[in-house]
Amino acid sequence: MHKHHEQADSHFQTLEQRAMLAADLIVSSVTATSSFVHFFGERSVKSTVVVENIGDAKSTGTMTLDLFLSRDDALGTGDYQIASRVLPKILNASGRRVERFDELIPHDLAGIRQGSVLTPGDYRLIARITATEGATDSVTTNNTAVAAGLVPVQYDFGQVGQSTELTLRTNLPGFQFVEIVLKGPGTGRLIPNGNNAPTLELTGTTSRTDLRILTPNQFVSSTFAGITINGSIRKIYAPRTDISGNISISGSLGSMLIRDVVGSTWTIGSGQSPAVISLGIVQNSSLSSGQSIRSISAQSWTTTDSGRDAIIAPWIGTLSIAGAFTPDLNLSGDGTSRVVLTKADITGAVSGQWDIIGGIKSLRAGSVASTFAANVTGSIASFGVLGNMGGFVAAASFGAFSVRGNMTNAALLAGADLGSDVNLGGTGTAADTFGAGSIGSITISGSVTGSLFAAGLDPVDGNLITADDRFVDTRSRIGSIRINRDATGTTFAAPVMPKLAYINKRAVDTGFDPRFKLHFP
């Protein structure tokens, strides 16, 4: 009996030493080839992956084959997964499977897919086979393989390589999804800036190039830290895009529609056809254009910091601002047109300094601040203020002038050219000149306090309404005068005025009222 048990123990020990059969999954080869998918207008990477079971038992569980983009040859936590595929559950011993992939190369600067960001650069393609959910794999250190060659990841668009229209679809920091399309000549590139807004740079564009920046719907917007266009551009259409930096267009601009612009120094080159610019809220931004502008529209254009902003252009057809407008306005003229600002329609308050070489056909403002100053070398045909008015305006002549509110410490000087400094005094380009002028009509719905209306007046010593003042031309005139309320501390000066002015609902004889200066001693 004892001898029988010893034989049994010897038998079991022999079984424990016998080798167990096991599956061993590997990626035996992987290839990577970049290509262009015309249907989507994007780049893709084509890959052939061979998975083998080099073990001596079949694998009978779920197997997952994943593809990653890596900046090196080793798979790490920061690598970007671009594909994942579940393979059939059974792979016999010495069996093999060939899997083919054609994946669009993603563009993700927000880490939406897996928390990691896909920055521009050259990547290696790594394939990994993983046994999951009951599958067996005796060795896991041989589960990855690296494809030869590099997979380029670039945030470019337009005419790239053999593509005539490469579209860029990407997530920006802040989980903003955009689609960028460049039609016509030229190439564009998005330049990331870490977790901050990226910039856009376009090269080789012409007056036949269109740029579109689109978001999925009205609730999704995008922000760029600037746009540089090395060339001309026919159209920029980005209705839900904000620019928080500089805009530079070395050539001409056809039209631009973007949302808000903040902290921008904006330059446009020259062009024969005037540009059309449509904006949202503009803050702390200046525009300098060698090209004339058919129209500028914005919700508002204001300065909230200590800087001094300006719009500089040869001429503007229509300036339409739904809110306040505080930058300087400098229009140099094009040498052919007497009118350099056809229509300015500003619903909010106007301030700043305007230096206009030419005339204005129509100027309407919600109100005019006491800090406002304007020098217009031509005529202002129509000037209307919906609220109160301060500041001073000099022009060759005024047509109809009206204020629906009150006028306080303001001045209208017809026939005066105050030069580039928009102020009395100065030398060189800032020197003052005085000539004949006229004010067609004055209509004030409220009161007038501490103000001056003058036509053809030369202050001589630089001080207005003093004994040495003189009229340059005896034909200078002020037409009708109607002020619904009182006019105190106010002077009307012109050699020709109506016999009667209507102030505070009463007729006033201008020849005897000291507020009216028909001549100086």
Side-chain angles (χ1 to χ4, degrees):
M1 188 71 176
H2 179 70
K3 185 176 181 179
H4 174 74
H5 284 296
E6 287 182 350
Q7 291 177 348
D9 290 342
S10 176
H11 172 70
F12 286 119
Q13 288 175 1
T14 301
L15 290 177
E16 290 173 358
Q17 294 172 358
R18 184 177 300 171
M20 301 292 292
L21 301 178
D24 184 7
L25 303 175
I26 68 168
V27 177
S28 59
S29 69
V30 57
T31 63
T33 304
S34 297
S35 62
F36 178 73
V37 182
H38 288 272
F39 181 80
F40 294 102
E42 295 186 65
R43 285 194 183 94
S44 72
V45 57
K46 294 183 178 181
S47 178
T48 300
V49 183
V50 178
V51 177
E52 295 188 51
N53 180 3
I54 61 173
D56 48 15
K58 65 182 178 182
S59 177
T60 58
T62 300
M63 296 175 291
T64 303
L65 181 58
D66 302 309
L67 297 183
F68 297 86
L69 292 178
S70 175
R71 297 306 288 267
D72 53 35
D73 292 345
L75 188 61
T77 56
D79 294 338
Y80 201 94
Q81 183 176 345
I82 63 169
S84 182
R85 182 178 297 175
V86 176
L87 303 185
K89 294 184 178 181
I90 297 175
L91 184 60
N92 293 326
S94 302
R96 65 196 300 267
R97 288 192 60 84
V98 178
E99 298 291 329
R100 292 179 172 83
F101 294 82
D102 191 354
E103 303 293 329
L104 293 177
I105 296 177
H107 295 91
D108 185 2
L109 295 174
I112 287 180
R113 282 197 177 187
Q114 56 205 36
S116 57
V117 173
L118 191 63
T119 56
D122 292 328
Y123 286 78
R124 305 302 297 269
L125 183 71
I126 300 179
R128 181 186 68 186
I129 186 68
T130 305
T132 58
E133 298 183 12
T136 55
D137 185 10
S138 60
V139 181
T140 59
T141 57
N142 57 0
N143 287 16
T144 62
V146 182
L150 298 173
V151 178
V153 175
Q154 295 294 342
Y155 287 74
D156 48 6
F157 48 93
Q159 292 184 336
V160 179
Q162 297 180 349
S163 166
T164 57
E165 188 181 311
L166 181 66
T167 299
L168 175 61
R169 297 177 178 89
T170 183
N171 295 302
L172 303 179
F175 302 99
Q176 304 170 346
F177 178 80
V178 295
E179 177 181 282
I180 305 176
V181 181
L182 193 66
K183 288 183 175 291
T187 300
R189 175 162 293 184
L190 183 149
I191 303 172
N193 186 24
N195 293 325
N196 301 315
T199 58
L200 290 178
E201 183 174 348
L202 279 62
T203 57
T205 58
T206 72
S207 58
R208 296 182 291 110
T209 304
D210 295 344
L211 171 66
R212 292 186 301 164
I213 305 174
L214 306 174
T215 63
N217 54 59
Q218 61 181 335
F219 303 107
V220 179
S221 63
S222 62
T223 302
F224 291 89
I227 299 178
T228 299
I229 300 176
N230 299 305
S232 297
I233 189 114
R234 180 171 58 186
K235 183 177 182 180
I236 299 175
Y237 180 78
R240 292 186 289 272
T241 294
D242 301 333
I243 306 298
S244 61
N246 296 339
I247 302 172
S248 174
I249 303 172
S250 65
S252 63
L253 169 67
S255 66
M256 168 183 278
L257 171 61
I258 57 178
R259 203 172 67 167
D260 301 342
V261 178
V262 179
S264 178
T265 299
W266 184 356
T267 59
I268 302 174
S270 60
Q272 294 183 348
S273 299
V276 176
I277 300 173
S278 301
L279 309 169
I281 296 171
V282 183
Q283 286 186 343
N284 306 326
S285 298
S286 291
L287 166 61
S288 178
S289 176
Q291 177 183 1
S292 296
I293 300 172
R294 185 178 304 280
S295 66
I296 298 179
S297 62
Q299 293 182 32
S300 62
W301 195 313
T302 58
T303 301
T304 60
D305 57 16
S306 58
R308 193 175 189 102
D309 302 320
I311 297 177
I312 303 171
W315 60 264
I316 296 175
T318 301
L319 176 65
S320 179
I321 309 296
F325 183 76
T326 65
D328 296 345
L329 179 62
N330 299 330
L331 301 180
S332 59
D334 59 4
T336 61
S337 177
R338 296 176 61 185
V339 174
V340 296
L341 178 56
T342 304
K343 181 180 180 181
D345 190 354
I346 302 166
T347 304
V350 178
S351 61
Q353 181 173 290
W354 291 20
D355 182 15
I356 311 296
I357 310 301
I360 299 175
K361 189 173 182 180
S362 174
L363 170 58
R364 189 183 76 147
S367 63
V368 178
S370 61
T371 57
F372 179 69
N375 187 68
V376 181
T377 63
S379 300
I380 302 178
S382 175
F383 186 1
V385 181
L386 301 179
N388 299 327
M389 175 167 177
F392 72 87
V393 180
S397 65
F398 295 86
F401 172 72
S402 64
V403 177
R404 293 187 184 179
N406 301 321
M407 189 167 176
T408 305
N409 299 327
L412 248 64
L413 306 178
D417 182 350
L418 304 183
S420 58
D421 64 344
V422 194
N423 205 348
L424 288 168
T427 59
T429 60
D432 302 339
T433 57
F434 300 94
S438 64
I439 303 175
S441 64
I442 299 171
T443 305
I444 313 295
S445 298
S447 61
V448 181
T449 305
S451 297
L452 170 65
F453 301 88
L457 178 67
D458 181 358
V460 181
D461 63 357
N463 296 309
L464 294 166
I465 313 301
T466 59
D468 64 351
D469 288 359
R470 67 184 184 92
F471 290 118
V472 177
D473 191 309
T474 57
R475 294 171 296 179
S476 298
R477 61 184 294 274
I478 295 177
S480 64
I481 302 171
R482 185 175 295 274
I483 301 172
N484 284 357
R485 297 184 180 178
D486 206 359
T488 58
T490 294
T491 300
F492 302 84
V496 178
M497 275 190 277
K499 178 176 176 53
L500 296 178
Y502 295 87
I503 299 176
N504 204 9
K505 301 180 181 178
R506 293 189 303 173
V508 176
D509 191 328
T510 60
F512 295 94
D513 191 303
R515 291 174 293 188
F516 297 87
K517 300 280 187 185
L518 292 166
H519 56 80
F520 287 90

